[in-house]
Amino acid sequence: MFEQSISTLAQKLRNKDLSSVELTRHFLARIAKLDPQLNSFITVNEQRALEQAAAADALLQNGKGSSLTGIPVAHKDLFCTEGTLTTCGSKMLNNFIPPYESTVTQRIQQAGAIMLGKTNMDEFAMGSSNENSFYGAVKNPWNLDKVPGGSSGGSAAAVSAGLVVAATGTDTGGSIRQPASFCGITGLKPTYGRVSRFGMIAYASSLDQGGPMAKSAEDCAHLMQAMAGFDDKDSTSAEQPVDDYLANINAPLTGLKIGLPKEYFGDGLDSKVADVIMAAVKEFEKLGASVKEISLPNLQLSIPSYYVIAPSEASSNLSRFDGVRFGHRCDDPKDLLDMYMRSRAEGFGTEVQKRIMVGTYALSEGYYDAYYLKAQKIRRLIKEDFVKALAEVDVIMGPVAPTTAFGLGSKTSDPVAMYLEDIYTLSVNLAGIPAMSVPAGFVDGMPVGLQIMGNYFAEAKLLNVAHQYQQHSDWHLQIPTMAKGA
Amino acid sequence: MSIDKQDVQKIAHLARLALTEEGADQYQHSLSSILSLVEQMQSVNTDGVEPLSNPLEMTQRLREDIVTEENRRDAFLANAPLTEAGLFLVPKVID
């Protein structure tokens, strides 16, 4: 059952070939058996899931519900879920039970999906490997000695190993696409503002965006149908009409113009990964697409720009965790300053403290213009590169990451080496455009993701392009050995 | 760009993070390498370029100044370590 798509499972539920309670028990049993090896969940909500499943069965019995009704999903542990522990992967929030529901999880719940639990993640979504969680590192189902990617690594590993049908993730600098690529699943980072950020614990507010992670583009489309749309509780939510993400998913790709940025294929890209990406592009040509070389000349600047903007916003957002209003509080503070400083030092992990300090430095007197303002100007240059390129082509393609998943612990001592892993993903967040990772092949047994980037609010086009590729390839259907036979 | 241990302690204080001597050593190395990385920006001429803070260039949406939320005091107090008579109790930190 764990190998089947949302459409197939929805049909079986509707035909009464299967009940949601049976389906939910199946996935809960898989979690119990396989997750001790992966550590992809922080919280599993067995009782709540079975209650939701029984309610879904009652709806389906009456012929009601959506395509998500009765389908087991999981949420990244930074979406606030009312009454369920929400930690953001941090000691700071290890006893936080939100009194309200995020818009994303509420909409998915209203669509009838079953929440099995909350997935592990890099603390406060800061990381490219999922080794920065207070709850321990997540392992890659394709090789347990490798990272799953971060920060939505728990969601990616859980979907990849078939512990859940689909999951939510968030992407601030590549945190949906990179783990999707490393774990061989499909992930979509929507346009900034397309999916509500209400109830998401903020890392960098002008970059964060929630999105779906699933086995296929079609499954991502089912999730997007529920997730996307204006939300007046989020002041950055876009007041744009929402597409029907399934309506044109089968449209042919004849005439599609693909841009290949030369900067994505230069030094630093593993040649075997490059071969996989170019083979995938050739498949698109067979489907009627044409390819054109383009340029995104400011790509290299996305790393320094991002690593000023994101930590600056983080230093502001995370100031609320002070031992008074939110989060861990130290024992026996001698005065107010001591309470703030020790509570934050004890509650935050090393990577979070590092980024808070970088942000504090960039925003401090005398440095603001040279760092923060400069980074925001470069951000405009990066956006203009995309606007210019997307005026000439329909979509842009390239790798998601320079390499496949790397070894656990292999980059933890060198922050800059870790940050360079994000070279192909960061610019998308700075510009705010949508982008996907789609399984495109393997290198030495590890999955490789093809990145497909599109114009603002062109999620339906991206899903169509990815779906058509998946109709002619089976990379997304491959299953890690550890997930078989469980 | 290299920063010294004193700078690290100063930044940590501004960020309200208590640092040990050992921690300051570790952060000095990693912050210096990150700041060297971001220094690359300085080589680019951005004269006349408008900063971009929101990718959609949206402006803050305003709403009517009216109360829309119901009073959920009990739910909001539920996470607090100590409460009394519907109020948060916090440690005494000011004499």
Side-chain angles (χ1 to χ4, degrees):
Chain A
M1 278 192 273
F2 70 91
E3 300 165 5
Q4 292 172 357
S5 68
I6 289 178
S7 298
T8 305
L9 290 171
Q11 197 58 49
K12 286 186 173 176
L13 288 169
R14 222 159 272 280
N15 293 347
K16 319 279 189 304
D17 296 334
L18 181 66
S19 75
S20 178
V21 169
E22 286 171 324
L23 192 61
T24 301
R25 285 194 196 283
H26 170 77
F27 282 101
L28 288 169
R30 288 185 63 79
I31 292 171
K33 184 161 184 194
L34 297 176
D35 202 50
Q37 296 173 68
L38 296 172
N39 196 29
S40 66
F41 276 84
I42 292 174
T43 301
V44 178
N45 249 337
E46 190 169 333
Q47 193 189 339
R48 177 173 159 163
L50 288 169
E51 284 168 9
Q52 287 182 339
D57 281 334
L59 264 182
L60 291 161
Q61 197 71 34
N62 296 325
K64 293 181 181 163
S66 75
S67 62
L68 285 183
T69 302
I71 303 290
V73 302
H75 296 304
K76 186 175 181 178
D77 207 26
L78 65 54
F79 288 100
C80 286
T81 42
E82 187 172 1
T84 297
L85 184 70
T86 299
T87 70
C88 219
S90 181
K91 179 183 176 185
M92 186 58 93
L93 287 173
N94 79 341
N95 59 359
F96 177 56
I97 297 174
Y100 66 98
E101 191 79 22
S102 76
T103 296
V104 161
T105 53
Q106 186 174 48
R107 287 180 176 178
I108 290 174
Q109 190 176 308
Q110 279 167 352
I114 312 304
M115 183 182 81
L116 296 190
K118 306 294 288 292
T119 55
N120 204 346
M121 56 179 286
D122 279 310
E123 185 180 4
F124 285 101
M126 297 181 192
S128 308
S129 65
N130 222 130
E131 294 169 286
N132 299 332
S133 169
F134 175 64
Y135 301 91
V138 178
K139 315 284 171 55
N140 191 313
W142 290 94
N143 180 335
L144 298 173
D145 294 326
K146 307 254 187 191
V147 302
S151 63
S152 310
S155 291
V159 171
S160 172
L163 306 190
V164 69
V165 180
T168 51
T170 65
D171 193 313
T172 305
S175 286
I176 286 176
R177 290 160 288 155
Q178 188 241 27
S181 172
F182 282 7
C183 291
I185 66 161
T186 307
L188 167 66
K189 184 215 91 82
T191 308
Y192 180 78
R194 175 73 299 174
V195 168
S196 172
R197 294 190 306 106
F198 176 78
M200 268 172 64
I201 297 168
Y203 161 21
S205 305
S206 78
L207 303 162
D208 295 339
Q209 184 61 201
M213 304 177 82
K215 287 190 282 289
S216 67
E218 188 183 18
D219 283 2
C220 285
H222 280 289
L223 253 78
M224 275 298 283
Q225 298 280 73
M227 294 167 82
F230 174 69
D231 178 17
D232 62 9
K233 291 178 181 166
D234 171 6
S235 64
T236 59
S237 181
E239 292 183 86
Q240 287 273 336
V242 180
D243 289 319
D244 181 335
Y245 296 109
L246 289 155
N248 293 311
I249 202 161
N250 286 312
L253 300 186
T254 315
L256 181 81
K257 289 184 204 156
I258 298 171
L260 291 185
K262 59 185 179 189
E263 293 82 5
Y264 274 58
F265 295 89
D267 291 343
L269 176 63
D270 181 303
S271 63
K272 289 179 183 171
V273 171
D275 291 345
V276 167
I277 299 302
M278 290 315 295
V281 171
K282 288 262 179 277
E283 288 300 314
F284 280 100
E285 287 185 296
K286 285 185 200 164
L287 297 175
S290 61
V291 174
K292 179 182 180 181
E293 185 182 270
I294 58 165
S295 178
L296 298 169
N298 292 299
L299 176 77
Q300 288 294 338
L301 294 169
S302 59
I303 294 181
S305 173
Y306 176 89
Y307 280 102
V308 169
I309 293 169
S312 295
E313 293 185 9
S315 74
S316 171
N317 278 325
L318 272 58
S319 65
R320 74 191 66 175
F321 301 103
D322 56 8
V324 179
R325 290 169 291 175
F326 283 97
H328 168 82
R329 180 186 297 159
C330 69
D331 289 331
D332 303 319
K334 66 173 192 257
D335 56 28
L336 191 59
L337 187 63
D338 183 52
M339 183 168 81
Y340 288 158
M341 295 188 69
R342 281 203 290 125
S343 296
R344 286 164 64 78
E346 290 170 13
F348 290 135
T350 308
E351 184 62 29
V352 175
Q353 293 193 40
K354 198 188 300 169
R355 294 195 195 193
I356 287 173
M357 284 195 274
V358 170
T360 302
Y361 183 79
L363 293 176
S364 61
E365 189 181 4
Y367 297 99
Y368 179 89
D369 285 0
Y371 287 94
Y372 188 69
L373 205 61
K374 185 84 177 175
Q376 298 283 42
K377 289 181 176 182
I378 287 171
R379 182 179 195 176
R380 182 172 296 279
L381 298 179
I382 290 165
K383 176 181 174 170
E384 284 172 355
D385 285 350
F386 277 113
V387 170
K388 193 174 157 198
L390 288 165
E392 296 174 25
V393 296
D394 299 311
V395 292
I396 297 171
M397 289 188 186
V400 172
T403 63
T404 56
F406 43 89
L408 284 155
S410 65
K411 297 195 179 193
T412 44
S413 60
D414 185 351
V416 170
M418 188 76 90
Y419 294 175
L420 293 173
E421 278 293 317
D422 301 334
I423 177 74
Y424 304 131
T425 51
L426 297 175
S427 53
V428 159
N429 300 77
L430 291 164
I433 60 170
M436 290 186 76
S437 175
V438 179
F442 289 82
V443 168
D444 302 329
M446 296 306 292
V448 174
L450 166 74
Q451 187 169 197
I452 310 174
M453 295 157 264
N455 223 326
Y456 294 94
F457 302 103
E459 288 81 7
K461 170 55 78 181
L462 292 187
L463 290 164
N464 162 231
V465 169
H467 179 67
Q468 287 307 296
Y469 176 68
Q470 291 180 336
Q471 295 305 293
H472 296 86
S473 66
D474 65 358
W475 305 115
H476 63 295
L477 301 175
Q478 306 298 312
I479 296 160
T481 305
M482 67 85 66
K484 292 177 185 168
Chain B
M1 180 184 176
S2 184
I3 56 171
D4 59 29
K5 222 156 78 174
Q6 220 179 344
D7 289 330
V8 175
Q9 290 288 9
K10 190 179 164 194
I11 299 165
H13 180 78
L14 289 172
R16 299 295 184 262
L17 291 165
L19 274 196
T20 59
E21 277 294 305
E22 194 190 338
D25 281 338
Q26 285 172 3
Y27 286 121
Q28 183 192 354
H29 172 71
S30 51
L31 293 182
S32 292
S33 59
I34 295 166
L35 291 173
S36 297
L37 175 78
V38 304
E39 277 298 308
Q40 290 172 34
M41 295 190 307
Q42 307 309 334
S43 64
V44 184
N45 182 356
T46 52
D47 290 350
V49 178
E50 279 291 305
L52 178 70
S53 57
N54 179 304
L56 303 180
E57 310 208 45
M58 289 165 62
T59 51
Q60 184 78 25
R61 198 175 58 250
L62 301 176
R63 64 169 176 82
E64 293 286 306
D65 185 16
I66 49 169
V67 176
T68 56
E69 296 293 320
E70 58 187 280
N71 184 355
R72 300 183 58 216
R73 184 165 69 177
D74 290 344
F76 296 138
L77 287 170
N79 272 304
L82 280 173
T83 60
E84 190 177 298
L87 302 170
F88 292 102
L89 292 186
V90 296
K92 183 182 174 184
V93 289
I94 302 169
D95 286 325

